[in-house]
Amino acid sequence: MIATASAGAALVVVDATVVTLAAPGLVADLGIGGGGAQWVVEAYTVVFASLLLSAGRVGDRFGRRRALAAGALVLAGAGALAALAPGPAVLLLARALQGAGAALVFPATLSVLGATFRGPVRGTAFALWGATIAATAGVGGLLGGWLTTTLGWRAVFAASVPVGVAVALAAHLALPESRERTGSVDPVGALLSAAGVGAGVLALVQGPAWGWWAPGPAAPAGWPVSPVPLLVGTAVLCAAAFGVRQRRLGAAGAVPLLSGHLLRVRSFRAGTAAAAVVSFGEFGLMFVLPFWWQDVLGWTAAQASVLLVFPTVAALTGGLTTSLLVRRVGPRATVRAGLACEGAAAAGLALLVAGGAAPFALGGALLALYGLGLGLASAQLGSIVLADLTGDDVGAGSGAMTTAQQVGSAFGVAVLGAVTFSAPVLAHGVARALGLTATALVVALAVTWRLGAARGGRHRRARRPRGPGFRPQRTPLPDTGATV
């Protein structure tokens, strides 16, 4: 069961990262240009982030196993479409469909574990799930580079077909079905959340190219200002309208897409914020460091890729050892230790870059420390976020956390990229970006210091909204007999 959920999450992460090194082949074969190649990556990200909240609720209502299997089949079918794409339009459509499939899969992998396991076994389940994600985040780029070099860029997309089918089949055979019998998917709320999150992520992703106010070099022709402010305004208005609608649904006794009471659950609030900061640092760090390695130090891509092995192996190690730490000190202290390792590593890298030194061993050691912290924190954040959630809130909480991670990663690339390239000297910009990453991780550590998750799996239940016609529901857990 844990292996199936972890494999589904790994498929989503790899599909998000595997395309980056295939971009030059896309440009040469399809003639789409650098901007079009960038959209091949971003179409997945924007659709994925925009559908996460509603997809999490779909899993709650119609079955988490069913959502995971359906999403995996969508990923497989879209991968086949992308591999056979005759031109840019079909390829972009396929990537958008992959993003939709990923939105069904990822929150379902998290919520099916949260709905099935309790006690110490739950910590082990999330440890293995988080370790898989942390490890595959670094593997995707390497896999994409190898497939592109040996078989061509179409093989990058074709590889997801058998994996997606296998995950769907394994989900059908190995996972118990769990769903909530009450409530429904709010279509208006789903539309508002998709539009708001999609517009916000698109603004962050395209801000450097389109310009934050004045039109940038890649902005649409004829616009007096950049489209980014319009996107930001759309995101803010949709978020406000979404909040109003969710409050009204809760007051009427209906089940909203994202209950307002979730934000009053300290473990959910702090855990989601920490997850966003971890993604901010992870994706921002991996975005700016290659510029230091290749443009400042003059390393080749092959030399730089060797350093990525250190955080990948360390992240896997950290994730696999979290179950032992959780049994001794609990998930709260495990996440704190991970954030402390990440912050110390980012600060050390900032000092290393600022000093102009480039010792390979020290850089590898710091990246390994960062990967270790990433594995420790990522593996248990899901457990903390879902610790006090029950029933209808499990899938919504999973989707909210994953949405926060996607927004955090977009912020990381946009903000740290802007800090890096605004400096007159590139090395100074990289050092400042690393210092900002360390600061953000320290803030996340402070936020998680008073997490409400208790040791031993004993958690307080979140308060449910009261209203006319509201009836509290108990969620029957499936008798799976599952073991780790």
Side-chain angles (χ1 to χ4, degrees), residues 324-345:
L324 299 177
L325 286 176
V326 168
R327 292 175 186 273
R328 288 181 172 271
V329 299
R332 177 173 49 186
T334 302
V335 170
R336 288 178 190 165
L339 292 173
C341 289
E342 289 184 78

Side-chain angles (χ1 to χ4, degrees), residues 322-428:
T322 52
S323 60
L324 299 177
L325 286 176
V326 168
R327 292 175 186 273
R328 288 181 172 271
V329 299
R332 177 173 49 186
T334 302
V335 170
R336 288 178 190 165
L339 292 173
C341 289
E342 289 184 78
L349 287 169
L351 294 175
L352 187 66
V353 174
F360 183 89
L362 180 57
L366 289 172
L367 284 173
L369 179 62
Y370 186 88
L372 177 64
L374 181 63
L376 291 175
S378 299
Q380 288 303 312
L381 278 172
S383 176
I384 288 175
V385 167
L386 301 183
D388 297 328
L389 306 187
T390 58
D392 297 310
D393 293 332
V394 174
S398 303
M401 187 190 96
T402 312
T403 301
Q405 289 175 317
Q406 290 299 305
V407 174
S409 63
F411 257 108
V413 173
V415 173
L416 298 184
V419 169
T420 298
F421 297 116
S422 64
V425 179
L426 183 59
H428 295 169

Side-chain angles (χ1 to χ4, degrees), residues 71-91:
L73 290 177
V74 171
L75 280 168
L81 181 63
L84 299 173
V90 176
L91 181 58

Side-chain angles (χ1 to χ4, degrees), residues 120-132:
V121 179
R122 180 188 241 200
T124 302
F126 280 110
L128 295 173
W129 180 86
T132 303

Side-chain angles (χ1 to χ4, degrees), residues 92-121:
L92 290 175
L93 173 63
R95 285 295 284 170
L97 289 174
Q98 280 192 314
L104 280 171
V105 170
F106 201 84
T109 65
L110 185 62
S111 57
V112 75
L113 296 179
T116 304
F117 294 104
R118 291 291 184 270
V121 179

